[in-house]
Amino acid sequence: PKPGLLMSMRQTGGLLERLDAGPVIGDGGFVIALEKRGYVTAGKWTPEAVIEHPEAVRQLHREFVRAGSDVCQTFTFYASEDRIDRAHGAGKHGVYPINKAACEIAKEVAKPAGCLVAGGLSQTNYKHDKNAARVKDQFEKQLHVFKEQEVDLMICEYFEYVDEAVWAGETVKKFMPGTPICASVALTTPEEDADGISVGECGVRMVRAGADVVGVNCHFDPFTCIAAVKKMIAAVKEAGLKAHFMVQPLGAWTPDANKKGWIGLPEYPFAVEPRILTRFEMARYAREAYDAGIRYLGGCCVFEPYHIRAVSEELREERGGYQPENCTEWGACLVDASNPETIAKVGRRHWETLNPSTGRPMSAAYSTPIWDQTK
């Protein structure tokens, strides 16, 4: 097909119907993308931008949808009452108005494009208060708006402790019965959560808590996360359970990371750019994830719309011929370039075998994680 041609139509139906039919493409990481654009405060990472700068949030949703996302996830990361109060003090905006504005923006962009709206359920102060009743109360306070707004699904993600993810799933199932539930853990190491629970056991517990889709998000690069979800798939099947599987990884390379992935690297959060995956590495991520049996593929921190476009383009056939606007087609779009040096880069061979350089003569291949520097 001619580069840039929009082919076919998106799948229709609810999340589980779409997953049964083929891959569903999520969106990318709003917190880091909007921090880079000047709309989120680093360190606090809270989503007041949905109220203070709605046009910025709306535009990022549009870019992800244009890139091929099938789901618009509300920008509600860290929008729990305890985290908002800790970051800014009580009274600035509050959880309800933040989540309401986030839902309205996501619906405005998603619905005309045939996309689903996912409510994003954020972690609480569980690390410091592991009381089930109080944690679930924090979840319910977040869920009121998502229930009123009738979101298409809930994504419970970035839980460093699987027990908190379990309580999140249980709360959604009770408070919003019938709503599809996705649940992901943000692993502390590639093998386990912050309590030392294996990634396979994490998957089993989340499914038993009511999650329809389980997986891993953030902290580690796509290929580390795929390896983790493979273990989750095996454990869930061995337990005799059924579920779909998802992965929404970090968009940067972390082969040298250990505890808490990229958060433990000295480059986090302001100097990660040399580690960012190219769009062609993202195509490889999409193919390997799909071949592993993962059907919900998206991104977390550092994922930009062009990354999602690469994922969508790689899985065009599996999506019934649908592809986003202005696809690169492995450089086929360069055939009309004005110089022969650029035209010579047309085709998969050049881009698939490319070993990108940092352009820095003294650039290090690996870093020493902060955890190791401060022992």
Side-chain angles (χ1 to χ4, degrees):
K2 182 180 178 181
L5 182 64
L6 190 65
M7 299 293 293
S8 187
M9 297 292 290
R10 295 179 191 274
Q11 292 180 12
T12 58
L15 174 66
L16 301 182
E17 296 170 279
R18 297 189 192 202
L19 288 171
D20 287 340
V24 170
I25 310 300
D27 55 15
F30 273 62
V31 171
I32 297 298
L34 289 171
E35 188 281 326
K36 287 182 176 181
R37 291 158 170 81
Y39 298 107
V40 165
T41 302
K44 294 179 178 178
W45 309 118
T46 45
E48 293 84 1
V50 296
I51 292 176
E52 297 173 359
H53 303 285
E55 73 288 348
V57 180
R58 188 178 298 110
Q59 177 62 24
L60 190 54
H61 276 303
R62 285 177 177 147
E63 291 180 19
F64 278 118
V65 168
R66 183 178 174 84
S69 295
D70 297 310
V71 178
C72 286
Q73 183 173 340
T74 59
F75 180 37
T76 49
F77 182 74
Y78 275 179
S80 63
E81 188 174 74
D82 53 354
R83 285 191 172 273
I84 293 291
D85 288 351
R86 267 193 298 153
H88 300 285
K92 183 174 184 182
H93 291 302
V95 173
Y96 185 92
I98 287 175
N99 285 359
K100 184 173 185 291
C103 285
E104 290 172 346
I105 294 170
K107 288 170 72 173
E108 177 186 342
V109 177
K111 293 309 179 181
C115 296
L116 301 173
V117 175
L121 191 63
S122 181
Q123 62 175 217
T124 67
N125 197 31
Y126 172 89
K127 182 178 179 179
H128 304 288
D129 183 5
K130 298 184 179 181
N131 178 279
R134 286 194 290 270
V135 169
K136 289 185 176 183
D137 180 64
Q138 289 293 324
F139 287 142
E140 283 199 16
K141 289 176 179 177
Q142 295 179 59
L143 288 171
H144 279 288
V145 175
F146 298 128
K147 185 174 183 178
E148 291 174 4
Q149 293 286 322
E150 298 181 332
V151 297
D152 299 302
L153 63 139
M154 286 300 305
I155 297 180
C156 313
E157 68 176 5
Y158 199 78
F159 291 108
E160 295 173 322
Y161 300 84
V162 71
D163 285 348
E164 187 180 15
V166 164
W167 292 348
E170 291 173 346
T171 307
V172 175
K173 190 172 183 179
K174 177 182 177 181
F175 198 75
M176 299 174 65
T179 303
I181 302 171
C182 302
S184 288
V185 285
L187 296 171
T188 295
T189 75
E191 305 286 339
E192 59 193 21
D193 80 343
D195 276 334
I197 307 300
S198 72
V199 62
E201 178 63 18
C202 287
V204 170
R205 293 188 186 186
M206 291 188 292
V207 174
R208 285 180 172 156
D212 302 288
V213 187
V214 296
V216 168
N217 82 291
C218 206
H219 281 189
F220 293 95
D221 64 66
F223 304 99
T224 301
C225 287
I226 290 172
V229 178
K230 284 181 179 179
K231 295 174 182 177
M232 193 175 281
I233 292 171
V236 169
K237 289 182 177 178
E238 185 177 348
L241 303 170
K242 291 184 178 180
H244 285 289
F245 297 91
M246 70 187 302
V247 62
Q248 299 209 91
L250 179 73
W253 288 102
T254 58
D256 46 345
N258 48 34
K259 184 179 178 182
K260 297 187 79 171
W262 77 311
I263 294 175
L265 294 174
E267 298 95 329
Y268 169 85
F270 298 130
V272 183
E273 284 76 10
R275 294 174 172 267
I276 295 176
L277 274 72
T278 69
R279 65 190 73 195
F280 303 105
E281 291 168 330
M282 287 298 183
R284 178 185 149 209
Y285 149 61
R287 180 54 52 196
E288 292 190 15
Y290 182 84
D291 289 347
I294 299 168
R295 291 296 176 266
Y296 191 114
L297 299 86
C300 198
C301 295
V302 189
F303 263 74
E304 290 280 347
Y306 73 94
H307 291 134
I308 293 299
R309 186 174 65 171
V311 171
S312 182
E313 186 175 349
E314 175 65 22
L315 297 178
R316 180 183 63 206
E317 291 186 11
E318 289 80 3
R319 300 179 77 200
Y322 176 81
Q323 70 178 23
E325 298 277 3
N326 294 319
C327 287
T328 60
E329 295 285 341
W330 291 97
C333 54
L334 301 179
V335 70
D336 296 323
S338 60
N339 62 76
E341 294 84 0
T342 302
I343 295 173
K345 298 172 185 175
V346 170
R348 186 167 188 144
R349 182 180 177 183
H350 174 84
W351 298 108
E352 196 168 42
T353 60
L354 181 68
N355 184 18
S357 168
T358 67
R360 298 176 176 86
M362 302 301 291
S363 178
Y366 281 19
S367 295
T368 302
I370 292 295
W371 313 114
D372 294 338
Q373 293 181 32
T374 56
K375 283 181 180 177

